[in-house]
Amino acid sequence: MTLYAYLSVDPDGKKIRGKMDAANLMELELRLKRMDLDLIDFKEKTEKNFSFGRVKISRKDLINFCFHMEQMTSAGVPILEGLTDLHDSTENRNFRGIVADLIENIEGGSPLSEAMARYPKIFSKTFTSLITTGEQTGKISDVFKSLGESLKWQDELTAQTKKIIMYPIFVGAIVTGVTFFLMIYLVPQLTGFIKNMGQELPMHTKLLIFVSGLFINYWYIALTAPVLIWVFGIMLLKRSPAARYMADGYKLRIWLIGPVLHKIILSRFVTFFALMYESGITILDCIRLSEDIVSNEVIAQGLRRAGVLISEGQSVTGAFQSIGIFPPLVISMLKIGEATGSLDIALRNVSYFYNRDIKEMIEKVQAMIEPVMTVVLGLLLGWIMMSVMGPIYDTISKMKT
């Protein structure tokens, strides 16, 4: 966004000066015109780095966008007028600039879907494909409504997933801090006293002294190594498809977390597949667009194989059963949906069952993670206490005898 200092004139001929953020000069003129002001002169004051490809747009912005456009289009308001009203009411300056660019492109003759396609990082292929279908069928209002509901579901799912992640991270940070304190400050003081007793130390005490020495002498490595490994891993995953495939496969096998993640991915897939199929998108296009939705190379590769089998004449049920990544529930529902001609309804039923199972599994996993982390912290403290107090107790026992 750019900050403009402008000079304008109102209908009475009075000159008005002011400052306003706008994506470009056209948006500045458009915004002033809505205020019944005519632009006379302007000057760019501050240019902020505003790259549409890297703009951070929250899911809440997209939900509001879909809800607003669904309400406008269902009331018979033209898309251009609906976008203009949204532009004036949007609080997010970045998203307001994008809406302004959508307005500009539509005024230039482009359909809404084509204008959205210029921002693939914000409006996914699935999003723009559904908008295209809505434009072609005249059901754009229904498409906006379905997209809004799907985005709300994703938002709720994300909030539930964070419940699993945040507690282990919080407890893990505490355990790490306690470990550093014990190994660098407390243990050296105690082990110095133990060594002065002059007796043979047990193996677990020697191990504690060795680990404490590593922390004292190489603490900077202990702090920087995880960060470097994380950065290296991210770079490797970006550059190597084989590494992404292995990592995504491992994610699905992680104890406790893997089954929940698998169901979340499949629930997201069947939800959007049903939405696209209901909107009139062909099955092969639904599968192709779903590859981006699942965000997992293992499942995406399976979908690609299913697409090939379907294009060769195999049934949808047979193709999905052959790739082996979908559980019997999905296969059964697909078979019923194909037989009755209501594939979208069958998939929505699958999504309903998955959503219920995901909530229950998240609650169970969260309930299991808390005691596991407590046990880890207890074992760490127990090892230190046994390694330190054990030799002291043995010395005191010998003195009594």
Side-chain angles (χ1 to χ4, degrees):
M1 296 288 282
T2 303
L3 180 63
Y4 290 94
Y6 64 85
L7 173 64
S8 61
V9 61
D10 63 11
D12 296 329
K14 182 180 178 181
K15 292 183 179 180
I16 298 175
R17 297 180 182 272
K19 295 180 181 179
M20 184 177 293
D21 282 315
N24 48 48
L25 178 59
M26 184 173 291
E27 185 192 358
L28 176 65
E29 291 180 324
L30 184 64
R31 295 184 65 185
L32 290 175
K33 190 173 183 180
R34 296 193 192 103
M35 297 165 61
D36 289 330
L37 299 175
D38 292 325
L39 180 64
I40 299 176
D41 193 14
F42 69 93
K43 183 178 180 181
E44 295 183 13
K45 300 295 290 184
T46 304
E47 185 172 353
K48 301 178 182 179
N49 292 328
F50 183 79
S51 172
F52 286 122
R54 298 180 181 179
V55 170
K56 184 178 180 180
I57 302 299
S58 68
R59 190 178 286 116
K60 180 181 177 181
D61 292 320
L62 292 177
I63 292 173
N64 291 336
F65 171 78
C66 291
F67 176 77
H68 182 93
M69 294 306 297
E70 184 260 324
Q71 293 293 311
M72 287 292 181
T73 52
S74 62
V77 178
I79 289 178
L80 189 60
E81 189 173 335
L83 287 173
T84 302
D85 184 72
L86 176 66
H87 176 275
D88 294 337
S89 60
T90 299
E91 296 180 359
N92 188 326
R93 292 189 304 169
N94 291 336
F95 194 59
R96 189 169 63 238
I98 293 173
V99 173
D101 196 68
L102 294 179
I103 294 172
E104 183 179 337
N105 280 273
I106 292 174
E107 288 178 339
S110 300
L112 177 61
S113 56
E114 184 178 322
M116 286 180 170
R118 297 182 63 229
Y119 309 105
K121 298 292 184 181
I122 299 168
F123 304 108
S124 65
K125 291 180 181 178
T126 303
F127 201 109
T128 53
S129 296
L130 287 168
I131 296 298
T132 301
T133 304
E135 290 173 331
Q136 294 173 350
T137 59
K139 297 180 179 180
I140 190 71
S141 177
D142 295 336
V143 170
F144 275 123
K145 183 178 180 180
S146 299
L147 280 170
E149 292 174 352
S150 298
L151 289 170
K152 288 179 183 177
W153 167 78
Q154 285 188 66
D155 200 49
E156 293 174 0
L157 199 60
T158 301
Q160 292 170 2
T161 306
K162 286 180 179 179
K163 292 180 180 179
I164 300 181
I165 300 173
M166 294 308 296
Y167 183 80
I169 291 177
F170 176 72
V171 177
I174 294 177
V175 170
T176 302
V178 170
T179 302
F180 267 85
F181 171 76
L182 293 174
M183 293 298 177
I184 294 177
Y185 178 76
L186 186 61
V187 172
Q189 294 185 4
L190 296 175
T191 53
F193 172 72
I194 294 172
K195 288 179 180 179
N196 292 331
M197 292 189 300
Q199 68 174 29
E200 181 65 24
L201 299 178
M203 182 57 66
H204 54 81
T205 303
K206 291 180 179 179
L207 179 61
L208 176 65
I209 295 172
F210 174 75
V211 173
S212 177
L214 291 178
F215 272 85
I216 293 172
N217 297 318
Y218 304 103
W219 60 268
Y220 52 91
I221 295 179
L223 289 176
T224 57
V227 177
L228 294 176
I229 293 172
W230 175 265
V231 173
F232 175 77
I234 296 296
M235 293 176 61
L236 181 63
L237 293 176
K238 286 183 177 181
R239 297 182 180 183
S240 173
R244 284 197 302 273
Y245 184 87
M246 291 180 61
D248 286 342
Y250 175 73
K251 289 177 186 176
L252 301 178
R253 297 191 299 270
I254 298 176
W255 178 66
L256 290 180
I257 306 296
V260 179
L261 180 61
H262 194 186
K263 284 199 173 185
I264 288 174
I265 292 173
L266 293 183
S267 179
R268 186 188 303 138
F269 163 74
V270 296
T271 298
F272 276 94
F273 191 99
L275 177 58
M276 290 185 286
Y277 184 78
E278 183 184 24
S279 299
I281 299 175
T282 63
I283 290 179
L284 289 178
D285 286 337
C286 289
I287 293 175
R288 178 178 55 82
L289 293 169
S290 297
E291 294 176 14
D292 297 326
I293 293 172
V294 296
S295 300
N296 186 285
E297 285 298 319
V298 174
I299 296 180
Q301 192 174 103
L303 292 176
R304 283 191 286 270
R305 292 200 305 270
V308 172
L309 293 173
I310 293 173
S311 65
E312 292 175 350
Q314 194 165 339
S315 66
V316 176
T317 305
F320 278 70
Q321 192 170 14
S322 299
I323 60 179
I325 60 175
F326 295 97
L329 174 64
V330 177
I331 302 301
S332 300
M333 287 295 183
L334 284 173
K335 188 174 182 180
I336 295 172
E338 265 195 307
T340 59
S342 54
L343 190 60
D344 54 328
I345 297 176
L347 288 173
R348 288 189 183 278
N349 290 333
V350 174
S351 177
Y352 169 77
F353 287 118
Y354 270 152
N355 293 342
R356 186 186 63 184
D357 288 346
I358 288 168
K359 291 180 181 179
E360 293 176 355
M361 290 179 72
I362 287 176
E363 292 175 356
K364 291 179 181 178
V365 170
Q366 189 176 11
M368 293 179 67
I369 285 177
E370 293 179 8
V372 167
M373 299 297 288
T374 304
V375 168
V376 170
L377 182 58
L379 289 174
L380 174 64
L381 295 175
W383 171 48
I384 294 174
M385 293 300 296
M386 183 179 66
S387 301
V388 172
M389 301 304 296
I392 297 176
Y393 179 78
D394 291 340
T395 302
I396 294 175
S397 299
K398 290 177 182 179
M399 290 175 62
K400 288 181 178 181
T401 58

